[in-house]
């Protein structure tokens, strides 16, 4: 089961660059369609490159904005707000650290709580 989780996390990490690549491909394809009406082949190639780069960059900005606003998507894909892999979730925790984390959540019986 752990292997399946790691494989799904790996594909989640690759989703950010894949989205940017797909958008740049669509932008370049549209640039190629528009370039066919231009008289100069050099201008057509330049238009294709510019539209591909602009579409990829714009989509990457929108994707990162979506990741920053959606904690559920970040947890699902195991990425940070910047779209980088959140490897801290994948590391095993030492036995003592897990016990200490549970103790912090529970109120202590020896210390008074403020109301």
């Amino acid at each position: 089961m752990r292997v399946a989780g790691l494989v799904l996390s790996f594909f989640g990490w690759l989703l950010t660059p894949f989205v940017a690549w797909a958008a740049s491909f669509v932008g370049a394809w549209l640039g190629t369609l528009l370039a066919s009406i231009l008289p100069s082949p050099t201008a057509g190639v330049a238009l294709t490159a510019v539209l591909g780069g602009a579409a990829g960059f714009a989509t990457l900005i929108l994707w990162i904005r979506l990741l920053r606003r959606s904690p559920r998507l970040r947890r699902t894909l195991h990425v940070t707000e910047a779209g980088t892999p959140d490897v801290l979730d994948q590391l095993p925790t030492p036995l003592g650290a897990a016990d200490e984390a549970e103790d912090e959540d529970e109120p202590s019986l020896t210390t008074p709580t403020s109301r």
Side-chain angles (χ1 to χ4, degrees), residues 88-106:
L88 294 179
D89 285 346
Q90 302 298 319
L91 295 176
T93 57
L95 293 177
D99 294 336
E100 291 172 9
E102 290 176 5
D103 292 341
E104 290 175 4
D105 293 337
E106 298 175 2

Side-chain angles (χ1 to χ4, degrees), residues 6 18 33 56 67 83 93 95 115:
L6 287 173
F18 179 75
L33 287 178
L67 284 176
T93 57
L95 293 177
R115 292 183 188 227

Side-chain angles (χ1 to χ4, degrees), residues 24-50:
S24 66
F25 181 78
V26 170
W29 179 74
L30 290 174
T32 303
L33 287 178
L34 293 175
S36 65
I37 62 173
L38 295 176
S40 170
T42 306
V45 170
L47 179 66
T48 300
V50 167

Side-chain angles (χ1 to χ4, degrees), residues 63-104:
W63 179 254
I64 296 298
R65 184 177 291 175
L66 176 66
L67 284 176
R68 287 186 178 154
R69 292 185 180 180
S70 175
R72 182 177 178 194
L73 182 60
R74 285 194 310 263
R75 278 192 314 270
T76 302
L77 297 177
H78 296 281
V79 295
T80 63
E81 289 181 355
T84 58
D86 190 8
V87 293
L88 294 179
D89 285 346
Q90 302 298 319
L91 295 176
T93 57
L95 293 177
D99 294 336
E100 291 172 9
E102 290 176 5
D103 292 341
E104 290 175 4

Side-chain angles (χ1 to χ4, degrees), residues 1-13 78 90-91:
M1 193 65 168
R2 181 163 171 86
V3 173
L6 287 173
V7 169
L8 290 174
S9 294
F10 179 72
F11 284 115
W13 297 340
H78 296 281
Q90 302 298 319
L91 295 176

